[in-house]
Amino acid sequence: MKLNKWSIKWQLFSYLAVFIGFLLIILWLFQVVFLESFYKTIKLNEIRESGTRIAKNIDSQNLELLLENVSETKEMCIMITDETGHIVYSIDTLPNCTIHRMTSNEYLHFIKKALSNDGTDLQYINYNIVDDIRPQIKYYTKQLPKLIRKELESVIYTQIIQKKDGSIYVLFLNATISPVKATVQTIRTQLFYVTLIMLFLAFLLALFISKKISKPIIKMNTSAKQLATGNYDSSFEGKGYKEIAELSQSLNYAATELSKTDTFRRELIANVSHDLRTPLTLIAGYAEVMRDLPGENTPENTQVIIDEAHRLTQLVNDMLDLSQLQADTQDLHLTKFNLTSTTKKILARYTRLCEQEGYTTHFLYDQEVWVSADELKLSQVLYNLINNAINYTGEDKGITVRQTTTTSKVKIKVIDTGIGIAQENLPYIWDRYYKIGTSHKRASIGTGLGLSIVRSILERHGAHYGVNSTPHTGSEFWFELPLESKPN
Ligand code: ADP
């Protein structure tokens, strides 16, 4: 068998690699592609929040502290003027701060804009930082310019604030909102290394997990190979996880079953050879005696040879029947037939035996019934049950077959008044080669296969069957079949 499947290791690695790849793509998208827009949005929110905070605390004594704090943590330039344009507070931290370098025209422009917009205003500025000491303001827009490539982007936030005493202050905030190019570059390089490290870790993880998963499987495989070579003692250990534990349990079960089958096979061969040997020894013995001693050439001795040969034939036939039945090779030929008359015919065949040896048979039935079954096989069941009844019946030598019917079923009972079967032996009598002792006069005649043939046939018909028996009183073997309507 060609095994071209991937090992667990590579399969796991590929899954992990795909997963990590997916994560990295998301990371790349957020860190590289969307970084700018995220950064800008966050910055703009910060500026607005800072403006509101400063406006709220405009009368506070700690205003100066707050301004310093805002400027430092949020990286902003701050300027507050009074209504005449005089600077009241100023923190100039950014290298290219715009608000500290405004012309008076620009100053007025921002105030006007704020006044026309509920007292606040936000303007984007785009300028070239290398050009000039005072950044050259190229334009002011409400919207972020999209198509123009810029060196640096910043915003100016203006807010008109009224103090408690009624005087007016104007707050200007200025912050850069485009991320520093170097930062983006750093993140890209970092991501490249992160990708490499993650792939390497994925490989290690795959190696580790696959080892952990495959170890018990490999162990089990070794045991399975041993089992295949006939070592039924090999046991399967499945520690680690549930599925493996379950698998090992099933394999252990299979191993014990196999070993049972093996024991059974050995027993079978022993039984069969024993059963074959007895008649063969008798045949050979009698034949030799008849050859060597002229006086022994009697019809009685010849009869022994013939009887033993018949017994051999019977044994071989039984064994063949049983093995075929159990291998399910024989199909059931279901036909609708009159079970009552079939039973009658079978019993009639025992007439001679009855005449010769004094047996009496009775057939009791309430009505003629039809069933759908394999007539030949069912006859075999009846033969076996009647044979057993004859073999094991009591002194009165009476055998009764009783047929009873309900609305849907017919029950056939084969009853004898013999030695019966002890309760503890009942479960085993249906097994192959099971014989209860050999003390009974006719027990040694049996092959031990009869009832297992009966069981196989009845089970294949899906019929209910059983036995009621009381030691020294008698046995009653029965089976049940569904009734069929009488054919027209
Ligand atoms: P055998 O060929 O020995 O009769 P069976 O399979 O037919 O084999 O029966 C198995 C065992 O069940 C017999 O050996 C016998 O001990 C017991 N048995 C079967 N039928 C009867 C019966 N009618 N009465 C008492 N014992 C029986």
Side-chain angles (χ1 to χ4, degrees):
M1 194 174 27
K2 206 178 151 215
L3 292 172
N4 52 1
K5 291 253 176 257
W6 278 21
S7 72
I8 294 180
K9 179 175 71 192
W10 287 111
Q11 205 138 7
L12 261 178
F13 174 65
S14 56
Y15 288 151
L16 278 175
V18 168
F19 176 66
I20 285 171
F22 185 67
L23 278 186
L24 285 172
I25 287 173
I26 295 178
L27 218 74
W28 271 83
L29 275 178
F30 278 80
Q31 291 292 339
V32 178
V33 184
F34 300 134
L35 178 74
E36 229 174 289
S37 51
F38 275 142
Y39 187 82
K40 279 176 192 165
T41 319
I42 291 167
K43 268 285 175 192
L44 284 178
N45 282 338
E46 271 181 2
I47 290 174
R48 282 202 189 92
E49 273 167 22
S50 305
T52 324
R53 238 173 100 201
I54 294 170
K56 258 192 199 158
N57 292 287
I58 199 75
D59 288 304
S60 158
Q61 296 207 323
N62 297 326
L63 180 64
E64 218 157 323
L65 258 176
L66 173 75
L67 294 179
E68 269 167 28
N69 181 283
V70 167
S71 149
E72 202 177 319
T73 54
K74 310 277 175 312
E75 291 182 336
M76 285 178 205
C77 264
I78 305 174
M79 189 170 88
I80 300 179
T81 66
D82 62 14
E83 53 204 292
T84 60
H86 278 115
I87 296 175
V88 187
Y89 296 104
S90 161
I91 302 177
D92 186 3
T93 47
L94 291 184
N96 299 296
C97 173
T98 328
I99 47 176
H100 287 91
R101 294 166 184 80
M102 283 187 288
T103 60
S104 47
N105 266 346
E106 285 164 350
Y107 175 74
L108 285 174
H109 169 81
F110 287 130
I111 293 182
K112 235 194 250 165
K113 284 265 178 196
L115 281 172
S116 63
N117 190 32
D118 290 341
T120 58
D121 178 50
L122 194 77
Q123 295 280 330
Y124 294 96
I125 308 167
N126 165 265
Y127 56 89
N128 191 338
I129 44 164
V130 242
D131 272 7
D132 212 335
I133 306 167
R134 193 192 92 79
Q136 222 176 345
I137 297 172
K138 290 193 179 145
Y139 46 82
Y140 306 117
T141 56
K142 250 302 177 218
Q143 294 298 317
L144 192 63
K146 276 181 191 145
L147 291 168
I148 306 152
R149 284 215 60 82
K150 51 247 146 182
E151 291 289 335
L152 202 62
E153 265 179 301
S154 78
V155 278
I156 293 181
Y157 177 79
T158 318
Q159 186 167 353
I160 315 282
I161 307 168
Q162 189 165 25
K163 287 187 71 174
K164 269 196 190 136
D165 60 10
S167 55
I168 302 287
Y169 274 4
V170 185
L171 164 73
F172 290 98
L173 294 175
N174 182 205
T176 311
I177 57 160
S178 49
V180 186
K181 280 248 158 61
T183 315
V184 177
Q185 193 51 47
T186 317
I187 289 172
R188 274 187 194 151
T189 323
Q190 271 183 356
L191 270 180
F192 175 73
Y193 285 114
V194 166
T195 311
L196 286 187
I197 292 169
M198 294 260 256
L199 282 177
F200 179 66
L201 284 181
F203 181 71
L204 284 188
L205 198 68
L207 213 68
F208 173 72
I209 298 178
S210 65
K211 257 232 163 86
K212 222 173 145 40
I213 293 178
S214 59
K215 210 170 152 192
I217 298 180
I218 292 168
K219 237 174 150 183
M220 244 182 256
N221 194 23
T222 322
S223 304
K225 278 181 190 156
Q226 277 182 2
L227 185 69
T229 58
N231 178 5
Y232 300 112
D233 296 331
S234 54
S235 76
F236 296 87
E237 271 175 58
K239 285 188 213 123
Y241 36 102
K242 200 175 127 216
E243 289 80 357
I244 289 287
E246 274 172 8
L247 178 63
S248 73
Q249 249 175 24
S250 317
L251 285 171
N252 275 329
Y253 177 68
T256 40
E257 285 302 300
L258 274 177
S259 100
K260 269 194 219 158
T261 317
D262 190 52
T263 323
F264 185 70
R265 191 175 51 90
R266 282 174 221 267
E267 274 174 17
L268 189 76
I269 291 171
N271 279 334
V272 169
S273 44
H274 175 262
D275 278 352
L276 291 178
R277 205 180 300 126
T278 322
L280 282 175
T281 318
L282 277 173
I283 291 172
Y286 272 83
E288 274 168 26
V289 167
M290 284 159 70
R291 181 197 61 198
D292 299 340
L293 308 169
E296 289 295 323
N297 204 345
T298 60
E300 289 80 27
N301 286 349
T302 322
Q303 192 56 44
V304 172
I305 294 180
I306 293 169
D307 285 349
E308 290 305 311
H310 280 156
R311 204 177 143 201
L312 265 183
T313 318
Q314 158 104 43
L315 186 69
V316 171
N317 284 342
D318 275 4
M319 286 187 330
L320 273 179
D321 277 351
L322 192 63
S323 68
Q324 272 177 336
L325 272 169
Q326 289 188 339
D328 263 13
T329 48
Q330 283 182 332
D331 287 332
L332 287 179
H333 298 291
L334 294 183
T335 50
K336 203 171 181 182
F337 65 92
N338 186 326
L339 180 66
T340 319
S341 77
T342 306
T343 316
K344 248 189 261 175
K345 271 185 234 158
I346 291 171
L347 274 172
R349 299 210 188 117
Y350 287 91
T351 321
R352 241 171 70 83
L353 185 77
C354 295
E355 281 168 6
Q356 274 179 1
E357 305 207 11
Y359 289 97
T360 47
T361 59
H362 306 278
F363 182 35
L364 310 171
Y365 61 96
D366 43 1
Q367 56 176 326
E368 302 251 326
V369 290
W370 276 262
V371 290
S372 173
D374 188 319
E375 190 173 2
L376 208 70
K377 295 219 163 60
L378 217 61
S379 305
Q380 227 176 327
V381 169
L382 283 166
Y383 271 122
N384 273 302
L385 293 181
I386 295 168
N387 272 342
N388 277 352
I390 289 174
N391 284 343
Y392 300 101
T393 195
E395 295 300 317
D396 67 348
K397 295 193 172 180
I399 295 114
T400 310
V401 179
R402 176 173 286 146
Q403 175 204 298
T404 49
T405 47
T406 62
T407 43
S408 59
K409 282 183 174 155
V410 52
K411 193 171 191 173
I412 299 276
K413 292 178 189 166
V414 181
I415 307 159
D416 68 66
T417 52
I419 49 163
I421 304 161
Q423 199 65 31
E424 69 265 24
N425 291 325
L426 277 179
Y428 308 108
I429 54 167
W430 308 93
D431 291 346
R432 260 193 284 191
Y433 287 110
Y434 187 81
K435 292 192 211 174
I436 307 167
T438 45
S439 56
H440 193 266
K441 57 181 162 82
R442 299 197 63 125
S444 57
I445 296 168
T447 58
L449 292 174
L451 285 183
S452 45
I453 292 175
V454 168
R455 177 176 70 173
S456 294
I457 294 175
L458 290 177
E459 277 177 0
R460 286 195 62 192
H461 277 87
H464 281 130
Y465 64 93
V467 55
N468 308 316
S469 185
T470 323
H472 313 297
T473 308
S475 313
E476 182 184 293
F477 283 82
W478 60 267
F479 65 89
E480 242 176 17
L481 285 171
L483 272 182
E484 289 285 330
S485 57
K486 181 182 172 180
N488 298 322

